[in-house]
Amino acid sequence: MRSMLLIEEVFMLIKEKNSGKLLMAEMTVFLEEDKVRIIMRDDGEIFNITDSDDAVISFRSFFVSSLMSDQGPRKNLTTMSFNRNMFVLPLNS
């Protein structure tokens, strides 16, 4: 349930940061024995979803930051054309 909520809120945050733009986004989910690895890519405004120290600009960004604060490895790869964020959620919580 927590994974689904986090996924929904992250994509809504991406939409919020890119209001009025046509946005392309995708997600890949890897189900492993004890964790779920989620990789998200979007071509919107460049920002690091996985950075828990990033400025909180809305309730949604606070909520996403709170949900990800105790998660496993988080990584961001920013390129010239898209954002790539990866994080790991343990299955036992």
Side-chain angles (χ1 to χ4, degrees), residues 8 14 17 19-20 24 26 29-30 33 49 60 81 84:
E8 178 181 357
I14 291 169
K17 286 189 167 266
S19 69
M24 299 295 288
E26 68 179 12
V29 178
F30 296 97
E33 188 173 316
I49 293 171
R60 178 163 279 123
S81 58
R84 181 182 183 276

Side-chain angles (χ1 to χ4, degrees), residues 30-91:
F30 296 97
L31 298 174
E32 300 176 18
E33 188 173 316
D34 59 344
K35 61 191 170 211
V36 176
R37 184 178 315 271
I38 300 170
I39 300 173
M40 297 179 171
R41 296 172 200 85
D42 70 88
D43 65 350
E45 176 184 329
I46 303 293
F47 73 104
N48 182 354
I49 293 171
T50 64
D51 185 5
S52 56
D53 293 331
D54 197 18
V56 174
I57 59 166
S58 68
F59 178 74
R60 178 163 279 123
S61 63
F62 171 76
F63 188 67
V64 168
S65 178
S66 297
L67 280 173
M68 289 200 318
S69 65
D70 62 343
Q71 297 310 314
R74 297 183 301 253
K75 295 181 183 175
N76 172 266
L77 171 65
T78 303
T79 67
M80 291 181 63
S81 58
F82 67 92
N83 294 308
R84 181 182 183 276
N85 294 285
M86 185 278 298
F87 47 94
V88 176
L89 303 171
L91 285 177

